Amino acid sequence: MKPIDRGTWLALIAMGIAVFVIANDFSAINVAIPQIEHDFKTDVTTAQWVVNAYALVFGVLIVTGGRLADIFGRRRAFFIGTTIFATFSAFGGAAQTEAELIAMRVLMGIGGALMWPAILGMTYAALPEERAGLAGGFILGAAGIGNAAGPLIGGALTDLLSWRWIFFLNVPVSAFAIFVTWREIHQPRPKVEDRRMDYAGIVTVTVGLVSLLIAFDQVIDWGWGDPRIIALLALSVILILSFVFVERRAGEHALVPPDVIKNRDFAYTCAAILLMSAVFFASMLYLPQFMINVLGYSAIGAGAGMLPMMATFAGVSFVAGNLYNRFGAKPLLILGSACIAVGPALVALLADKETFGALVPGMAILGLGIGLFYPTATTAGVTACDESRRSLAGAIIYMFQIAGGSVGLGLTTTVFIGASDRAQSGSGFIDGIQTAFTMDAAIAAGGFLIAAFLIGGRAHLPHVHRPALAGHSPRGHGP
């Protein structure tokens, strides 16, 4: 196997830094919300949109960003997206009202939606096919480190300087990533014959997903029976179903082209990621809440308490690339998805011990599962598609991750509130965690079944000799 040259390593480091910034921005700002409330004299309902606005825009526009990257070039999409992200990070740090800050976060989300699929496409293109697993492991490992470090970095900056430095720090880091990418990544633009944009598809999927994500975000405050929630869910269903018909009529210039829609391995991978993300996002929210409300931890202490899960996730993600190259996708998907099912089940079983040590086994197993599953599923899904579609494929996979996380949070919160009788601490909180995490384990079991019986194997690595999976077609498009 040919060694990776210095220029490629520098390019990978630049991509890793860019991913770290995007992932860090999802979690670093959470610990600063109380200080933002105080500085702007607003309430948590309004301040929470500093987090939600970024995630919402990022999640719904990422497919559009992937299509643009594949059509007009990944370097160009990366440069434009990173410039947008860094510019409005600076303006966000200087914001004088909560409305200004939320607006800047919306614009940062647009930049992130252009960056992420371009990064994935460039990373997979920078490495030979036999090292595709390394690409997925490296990117998801960097994302895991960003997510894990976010609460610690955000807490330290907020305490020592100001929450504004969470935004200001993005500027020099983004500039470095742009510089190294400009110097070291020189890839030909993917050959795409049809460069027309599917505007009807963009509108239907964007408004449909916005409606869905807002509904699941607001259901905690409004309740499932509220007419606004019902209207948002109905609008989401109508528009997402309409999107399917719009895409069929659009043909080859569809936002999601027919060859991607009909790719069975890709579709099964997205379905598994949807279910696993419901568990991942719920764990990210409720495990810190357990530490704060039951164990009495501070916000920074709860962030540090997540390290058994997040550090394991990040570390295993880097190793997963080499394991993928050696063993293929199937065993890693099965083991990873099994761990994601076992992890929350252990948390549910041991939560009534009311000790941090009781949480560690479940968190560590969950981190192991996430670290094995996400890089492997991302690589299997992306490489199942043609090279010219890989930025789009990576974007769709991440959209399913965001959508699954949002739906999972809504379901977990509903079950938690029902089981805890709205108690915010003590035995009621523990009852809620146990019931909700038992449901999450069942959801993950569904993802395990998809990984075990429906997703094929690695299709694009002919140089690695191992027995072929029965019934798996050589191009990864199903039987």
Side-chain angles (χ1 to χ4, degrees):
M1 190 178 293
K2 184 179 178 181
I4 299 174
D5 58 47
R6 175 179 173 275
T8 301
W9 275 118
L10 288 173
L12 290 177
I13 290 169
M15 296 298 95
I17 289 171
V19 167
F20 178 90
V21 170
I22 294 173
N24 178 78
D25 239 62
F26 272 102
S27 57
I29 199 66
N30 283 302
V31 296
I33 292 298
Q35 190 60 49
I36 292 172
E37 290 177 54
H38 177 269
D39 288 354
F40 290 143
K41 297 180 175 58
T42 188
D43 57 24
V44 68
T45 303
T46 301
Q48 194 63 32
W49 277 99
V50 174
V51 178
N52 296 345
Y54 175 74
L56 186 64
V57 173
F58 186 99
V60 300
L61 290 183
I62 194 169
V63 174
T64 303
R67 182 70 170 146
L68 289 170
D70 282 337
I71 291 177
F72 298 109
R74 292 159 187 163
R75 283 178 91 241
R76 181 182 298 179
F78 175 77
F79 292 147
I80 294 173
T82 308
T83 300
I84 292 171
F85 183 86
T87 299
F88 292 107
S89 289
F91 286 138
Q96 298 302 304
T97 67
E98 68 271 27
E100 285 181 28
L101 180 56
I102 291 168
M104 295 306 104
R105 291 288 280 174
V106 167
L107 294 167
M108 288 172 65
I110 295 173
L114 284 170
M115 291 170 67
W116 180 264
I119 289 167
L120 275 179
M122 287 192 294
T123 303
Y124 281 107
L127 293 168
E129 290 288 345
E130 64 268 20
R131 290 185 180 268
L134 176 60
F138 185 83
I139 291 300
L140 272 295
I145 292 175
N147 281 323
L152 300 176
I153 294 173
L157 289 174
T158 301
D159 288 345
L160 299 176
L161 297 170
S162 164
W163 58 265
R164 296 179 183 277
W165 281 93
I166 297 173
F167 297 97
F168 292 145
L169 190 62
N170 290 337
V171 178
V173 176
S174 298
F176 175 78
I178 288 175
F179 174 73
V180 176
T181 302
W182 173 73
R183 284 198 55 175
E184 302 295 341
I185 295 184
H186 303 283
Q187 299 169 354
R189 184 182 301 176
K191 295 180 180 179
V192 180
E193 295 180 2
D194 194 338
R195 296 183 181 276
R196 291 176 293 169
M197 284 300 296
D198 175 20
Y199 296 106
I202 291 172
V203 171
T204 50
V205 74
T206 298
V207 178
L209 285 173
V210 166
S211 301
L212 177 68
L213 297 180
I214 289 177
F216 278 101
D217 182 73
Q218 294 298 118
V219 74
I220 299 172
D221 297 322
W222 296 348
W224 287 102
D226 190 285
R228 293 170 292 183
I229 295 294
I230 295 171
L232 285 167
L233 291 175
L235 179 62
S236 173
V237 170
I238 292 169
L239 288 175
I240 291 174
L241 289 176
S242 299
F243 175 71
V244 175
F245 294 104
V246 167
E247 295 304 275
R248 286 180 180 174
R249 292 190 63 182
E252 287 301 320
H253 79 279
L255 183 64
V256 184
D259 58 296
V260 177
I261 293 176
K262 295 176 183 177
N263 188 316
R264 292 186 183 182
D265 271 347
F266 181 74
Y268 293 143
T269 300
C270 289
I273 286 174
L274 182 81
L275 296 177
M276 293 308 181
S277 297
V279 180
F280 182 26
F281 280 53
S283 301
M284 288 286 289
L285 177 66
Y286 279 97
L287 286 173
Q289 291 298 313
F290 184 93
M291 295 177 205
I292 292 169
N293 291 299
V294 176
L295 303 182
Y297 284 20
S298 66
I300 296 178
M306 290 293 288
L307 286 176
M309 174 178 155
M310 299 306 297
T312 303
F313 162 35
V316 173
S317 292
F318 285 110
V319 178
N322 288 328
L323 294 175
Y324 182 105
N325 292 333
R326 182 172 182 180
F327 299 109
K330 196 71 173 182
L332 301 186
L333 290 172
I334 291 174
L335 179 59
S337 57
C339 288
I340 295 175
V342 170
L346 276 178
V347 171
L349 184 66
L350 300 175
D352 58 1
K353 303 293 185 184
E354 298 187 37
T355 64
F356 177 73
L359 297 179
V360 169
M363 287 196 294
I365 291 174
L366 188 54
L368 172 64
I370 292 166
L372 288 173
F373 177 81
Y374 275 98
T376 305
T378 299
T379 299
V382 168
T383 56
C385 298
D386 186 80
E387 201 279 332
S388 66
R389 307 291 198 201
R390 289 186 178 177
S391 287
L392 175 64
I396 294 171
I397 286 171
Y398 204 79
M399 182 192 72
F400 271 86
Q401 187 173 333
I402 295 290
S406 179
V407 173
L409 275 179
L411 292 175
T412 300
T413 298
T414 300
V415 171
F416 171 82
I417 291 174
S420 66
D421 196 26
R422 297 186 177 272
Q424 296 301 305
S425 60
S427 60
F429 194 97
I430 294 171
D431 290 342
I433 285 288
Q434 290 182 312
T435 306
F437 272 54
T438 299
M439 179 198 70
D440 289 335
I443 292 173
F448 167 79
L449 293 175
I450 294 173
F453 298 108
L454 295 178
I455 300 176
R458 180 179 50 179
H460 291 280
L461 301 179
H463 301 295
V464 179
H465 299 288
R466 68 181 194 285
L469 290 168
H472 179 61
S473 73
R475 286 192 58 80
H477 292 274

